[in-house]
């Protein structure tokens, strides 16, 4: 049974969760501070106003002897105003409210008229002192300005090679590894929590891994890596990676981009005879702003959207390395020209002539008779291509380049029900198709293609936040994260041709052979690369309590096993060129990893 998304689940969660006194969590930020006069004495009764520069949403509080607190603020830029009769108004412009961060500030009021204002333009807020959390926030401008790796290395570890916001987590202290397997503060791999817009994006199959179904790069506003000592509501992993997706604003904004690599634009490498073929193209765009339907609806200051699309077409060059492919003579059992560097013949001994003291007699002419070759070898060797170069070793150019087609889009919608209530919804869908080949390549017989990775991700997030008092909030969230199988079942029946004994002829794919020899190994076949299972994460989150109330969350992690008759076993038995005898050296040795019924 496959997971499905039901709109009624979302509506029921938002409308039917019991209302209570709740404290916001997830990716929302806040601001705490004290208001003092020039002597340092507290100034109670001052009016504190925070106004979003993107949406004009206003949040207010009143200072007391102990200060003021504003919570549940959407990450972004704000203007802060503090005023009280008998003092000059203080205006702090372009303050940054960061993801999952309760920042602290001190406001000093000078005696004077409220019609006078002291204005400071700064995006910097003092260090967070209300929590012992160790964390790092990377804001949007940093993500756009820093160079990013694409198309190789960690960017393509079990992913497509498109730009990934996760690339930059390794710039933060304590984070090492790759996108596939990372460690925060020395923690085990696959042990991190991932939050997107405050809702978990974990999958049962590979927790902590995001790259296959991550949102478009431009759709991320910022993210925070929470290394340690973070609040209990985040405590489902050895470190938390907390993403905030970009929302629309009162101003329309958009852009187009194109990242192109093509060998026609490259110079020939100095030691190469030709230019390696490179076809890498990542393209897309984004557009956002207020929802405006002429003559019907004006969503300025109320309803906003943000759309992103990214496409990738990558046909990478051949890796350029050489592997050893048996020659046509070797495949026939003819080793008459198998000599060492001095020209001396390297004899192939007949295992049937083994005596009690272990000595054996070479095959006449160093040729193994055809009737002595095993049936498995006779069935398999015709499927191998011939060498590219006239030598015994390093004679075949590896062709295991893996083309990729990747498309992903996202839409985020925000609606301000009032100055104290906000509803947001985001959806992103991804389709990532990779053609994974062995060193033989896709066009060199049936043993070349390994598998087609057709990964389709579906992700939904919905959040409702209401400010009941400056320190008491209501938060309800729903999240759905799904990843389909990353490998498609190979419907070919390879063992009908190879006929390994004891293996059903209708087993899917081709048996995997690892050929070990003096000149290096060679792996062919794909039975070890059959489908894995899809998985899904359905999260319902809300928080109740007072200033630091505990988080309540219902989370369903599911891994949906496909009904398949086969299973994998590993045969720890070599299959030799010579039948019914002990291993012959340096003949080719075969080890199969086979699906069986």
């Amino acid at each position: 049974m496959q997971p499905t998304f039901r709109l009624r689940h979302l509506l029921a969660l938002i409308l039917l969760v019991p209302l209570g006194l709740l404290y916001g969590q997830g990716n929302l930020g806040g601001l705490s501070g004290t208001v003092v006069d020039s002597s340092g004495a507290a100034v109670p009764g001052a009016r504190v106003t925070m106004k979003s520069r993107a949406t004009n949403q206003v949040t207010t509080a009143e200072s007391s002897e102990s200060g003021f607190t504003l919570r549940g603020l959407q990450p972004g830029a704000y203007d802060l105003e503090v005023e009280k009769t008998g003092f000059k108004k203080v205006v702090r412009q372009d303050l940054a409210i960061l993801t999952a961060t309760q920042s602290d500030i001190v406001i000093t009021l000078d005696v004077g008229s409220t019609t006078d204002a002291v204005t400071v333009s700064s995006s910097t807020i003092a260090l967070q002192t209300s929590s012992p959390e160790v964390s790092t926030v990377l804001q949007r401008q940093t993500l756009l300005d820093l160079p990013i790796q694409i198309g190789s290395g960690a960017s393509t570890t079990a992913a497509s090679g498109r730009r990934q916001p996760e690339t930059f987590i390794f710039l933060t202290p304590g984070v090492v590894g790759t996108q596939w397997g990372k460690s925060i503060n020395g923690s085990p791999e696959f042990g991190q929590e991932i939050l997107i817009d405050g809702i978990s994006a974990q999958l049962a199959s590979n927790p902590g891994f995001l790259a296959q179904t991550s949102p478009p790069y431009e759709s991320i506003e910022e993210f925070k890596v929470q290394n340690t000592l973070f609040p209990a509501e985040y405590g489902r992993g050895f470190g938390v990676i907390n993403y905030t997706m970009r929302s629309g604003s009162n101003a329309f904004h958009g852009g187009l981009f194109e990242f192109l690599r093509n060998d026609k634009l490259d110079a020939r490498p100095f030691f190469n005879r030709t230019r390696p073929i490179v076809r890498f193209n990542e393209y897309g765009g984004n557009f956002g702003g207020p929802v405006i339907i002429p003559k019907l609806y004006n969503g300025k200051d109320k309803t906003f959207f943000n759309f992103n699309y990214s496409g990738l077409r990558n046909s990478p060059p051949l890796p350029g390395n050489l592997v050893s492919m048996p020659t046509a003579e070797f495949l026939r059992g003819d080793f008459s020209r198998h000599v060492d560097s001095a020209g001396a013949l390297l004899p192939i001994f007949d295992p049937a002539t083994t005596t009690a003291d272990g000595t054996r007699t070479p095959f006449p002419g160093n040729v193994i008779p055809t009737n002595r070759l095993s049936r498995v070898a006779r069935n398999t060797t015709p499927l191998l291509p011939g060498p590219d170069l006239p030598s015994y070793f390093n004679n075949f150019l590896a062709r295991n380049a893996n083309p990729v087609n990747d498309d992903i889009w996202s839409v985020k919608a925000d609606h301000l029900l009032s100055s104290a209530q906000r509803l947001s919804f985001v959806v992103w869908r991804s389709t990532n198709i990779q053609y994974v080949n062995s060193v033989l390549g896709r066009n060199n017989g049936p043993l070349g293609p390994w598998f087609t990775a057709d990964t389709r991700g579906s992700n939904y997030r919905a959040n409702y936040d209401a400010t009941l008092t400056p320190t008491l909030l209501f938060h309800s969230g729903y999240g759905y994260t799904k990843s389909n199988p990353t490998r498609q079942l190979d419907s070919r029946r390879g063992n009908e041709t190879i006929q390994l004994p004891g293996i059903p002829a209708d087993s899917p794919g081709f048996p995997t052979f690892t050929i070990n020899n003096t000149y290096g190994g060679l792996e062919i076949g794909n039975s070890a690369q059959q489908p894995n299972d899809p998985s899904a994460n359905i999260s319902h989150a809300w928080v109740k309590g007072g200033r630091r109330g505990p988080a309540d969350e219902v989370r369903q992690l599911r891994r949906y096993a496909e009904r398949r008759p086969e299973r994998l076993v590993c045969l720890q038995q070599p299959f030799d060129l010579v039948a019914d005898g002990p291993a012959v050296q340096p003949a080719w040795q075969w080890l199969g990893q086979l699906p069986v019924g």
Side-chain angles (χ1 to χ4, degrees):
M1 178 180 178
Q2 296 292 322
T4 57
F5 174 76
R6 305 291 186 187
L7 182 61
R8 64 174 179 266
H9 294 168
L10 171 62
L11 296 176
L13 192 70
I14 293 177
L15 299 177
L16 301 181
V17 171
L19 293 176
L21 300 182
L22 307 175
Y23 163 72
Q25 64 153 18
N27 68 315
L28 300 180
L31 180 66
S32 299
T34 55
V35 181
V36 298
D37 59 19
S38 57
S39 67
V43 179
R47 179 178 174 81
V48 181
T49 303
M50 285 282 283
K51 183 178 181 180
S52 170
R53 306 195 80 175
T55 65
N56 289 333
Q57 184 179 18
V58 174
T59 306
T60 62
E62 185 173 298
S63 68
S64 64
E65 290 286 345
S66 57
F68 66 91
T69 300
L70 297 167
R71 298 189 182 276
L73 301 178
Q74 186 73 13
Y78 287 78
D79 290 336
L80 171 68
E81 293 185 1
V82 181
E83 56 184 331
K84 183 177 179 172
T85 303
F87 294 90
K88 296 179 181 179
K89 180 168 66 174
V90 172
V91 179
R92 292 286 298 269
Q93 296 179 333
D94 200 20
L95 287 180
I97 297 299
L98 305 178
T99 295
T101 302
Q102 188 71 24
S103 302
D104 299 286
I105 193 171
V106 176
I107 300 296
T108 301
L109 298 180
D110 296 325
V111 175
S113 172
T114 55
T115 58
D116 298 328
V118 178
T119 302
V120 179
S121 296
S122 173
S123 61
T124 303
I125 298 181
L127 294 175
Q128 174 180 294
T129 59
S130 59
S131 169
E133 176 184 279
V134 178
S135 58
T136 305
V137 175
L138 268 70
Q139 296 175 269
R140 180 173 181 80
Q141 197 58 46
T142 302
L143 299 181
L144 296 178
D145 289 346
L146 288 176
I148 185 171
Q149 184 181 25
I150 57 174
S152 63
S155 295
T156 55
T157 305
S160 68
R162 63 179 167 90
R163 294 170 301 147
Q164 297 283 349
E166 196 174 19
T167 302
F168 294 119
I169 69 172
F170 303 103
L171 298 179
T172 62
V175 183
V176 297
T178 67
Q179 293 175 32
W180 172 250
K182 63 187 72 70
S183 172
I184 298 180
N185 288 355
S187 64
E189 294 183 348
F190 304 107
Q192 297 76 41
E193 171 71 290
I194 295 178
L195 301 177
I196 300 180
D197 268 8
I199 303 294
S200 174
Q202 293 286 52
L203 292 173
S205 57
N206 42 14
F209 176 61
L210 179 65
Q212 279 182 331
T213 57
S214 62
Y217 183 78
E218 270 75 15
S219 70
I220 299 298
E221 177 69 26
E222 64 182 36
F223 70 85
K224 180 178 185 179
V225 178
Q226 298 167 261
N227 297 66
T228 186
L229 298 177
F230 38 80
E233 63 250 37
Y234 303 109
R236 285 184 176 267
F238 299 101
V240 180
I241 306 170
N242 201 331
Y243 294 91
T244 295
M245 296 193 68
R246 192 181 190 193
S247 298
S249 65
N250 275 323
F252 287 105
H253 54 81
L256 300 173
F257 63 86
E258 169 89 9
F259 294 88
L260 174 66
R261 289 192 60 202
N262 192 295
D263 59 275
K264 303 300 183 183
L265 305 176
D266 295 341
R268 177 179 61 83
F270 184 80
F271 293 102
N272 289 36
R273 295 182 179 179
T274 60
R275 290 176 298 189
I277 297 177
V278 179
R279 302 285 191 275
F280 183 95
N281 187 18
E282 184 178 358
Y283 54 90
N286 59 84
F287 184 68
V291 176
I292 297 178
I293 305 176
K295 299 181 180 181
L296 293 177
Y297 182 76
N298 186 352
K300 192 172 183 180
D301 292 340
K302 186 178 297 184
T303 308
F304 314 93
F305 76 96
N306 187 50
F307 171 79
N308 292 267
Y309 167 77
S310 177
L312 173 69
R313 302 295 181 265
N314 183 16
S315 297
L318 298 180
N321 59 298
L322 296 171
V323 297
S324 299
M325 188 68 63
T327 65
E329 294 173 315
F330 284 5
L331 295 178
R332 294 194 304 267
D334 184 356
F335 294 87
S336 59
R337 294 197 299 170
H338 186 41
V339 296
D340 61 18
S341 58
L345 185 69
L346 296 173
I348 303 297
F349 293 94
D350 186 349
T353 64
T354 305
T355 63
D357 61 359
T359 59
R360 293 169 294 173
T361 303
F363 283 103
N366 226 31
V367 177
I368 302 173
T370 302
N371 62 354
R372 297 292 302 280
L373 297 177
S374 73
R375 183 183 63 177
V376 172
R378 293 197 305 268
N379 293 337
T380 304
T381 53
L383 304 179
L384 296 175
D388 295 321
L389 302 173
S391 61
Y392 294 149
F393 65 97
N394 287 343
N395 58 4
F396 186 82
L397 179 63
R399 293 165 168 81
N400 52 328
N402 304 321
V404 177
N405 292 340
D406 186 284
D407 294 279
I408 184 168
W409 59 267
S410 72
V411 175
K412 184 173 183 179
D414 297 87
H415 181 66
L416 304 182
L417 301 172
S418 68
S419 61
Q421 298 181 80
R422 183 187 189 99
L423 179 65
S424 68
F425 177 79
V426 62
V427 55
W428 70 95
R429 305 288 297 273
S430 62
T431 301
N432 175 3
I433 302 176
Q434 298 188 53
Y435 304 95
V436 183
N437 305 314
S438 75
V439 294
L440 305 186
R442 186 158 290 267
N443 300 317
N444 264 316
L447 297 178
W450 267 6
F451 61 89
T452 298
D454 185 356
T455 304
R456 300 176 187 271
S458 301
N459 302 268
Y460 305 89
R461 299 288 184 273
N463 287 286
Y464 171 75
D465 294 280
T467 303
L468 306 181
T469 73
T471 58
L472 298 177
L473 287 83
F474 174 84
H475 169 82
S476 177
Y478 178 92
Y480 177 87
T481 302
K482 175 189 173 184
S483 177
N484 268 350
T486 59
R487 291 190 291 269
Q488 300 302 304
L489 182 69
D490 189 349
S491 60
R492 300 176 300 170
R493 307 303 182 189
N495 208 44
E496 292 179 353
T497 300
I498 294 176
Q499 299 179 18
L500 271 168
I503 306 303
D506 61 351
S507 296
F510 281 80
T512 301
F513 292 100
T514 301
I515 307 172
N516 298 312
N517 64 91
T518 306
Y519 309 120
L522 176 67
E523 184 177 330
I524 56 177
N526 70 339
S527 66
Q529 304 290 339
Q530 294 305 299
N532 63 348
D533 299 324
S535 57
N537 175 359
I538 305 174
S539 296
H540 315 265
W542 60 91
V543 189
K544 63 183 179 181
R547 180 179 177 88
R548 273 288 178 183
D552 289 346
E553 181 177 14
V554 178
R555 184 182 300 190
Q556 303 174 33
L557 290 174
R558 300 177 180 176
R559 184 165 182 169
Y560 296 85
E562 301 285 348
R563 295 187 62 185
R564 298 191 298 269
E566 74 278 9
R567 63 184 182 274
L568 289 178
V569 299
C570 186
L571 300 184
Q572 301 294 336
Q573 175 184 353
F575 289 85
D576 304 305
L577 283 175
V578 181
D580 304 323
V584 179
Q585 297 296 336
W588 299 78
Q589 185 182 83
W590 309 72
L591 180 64
Q593 191 173 21
L594 316 165
V596 299

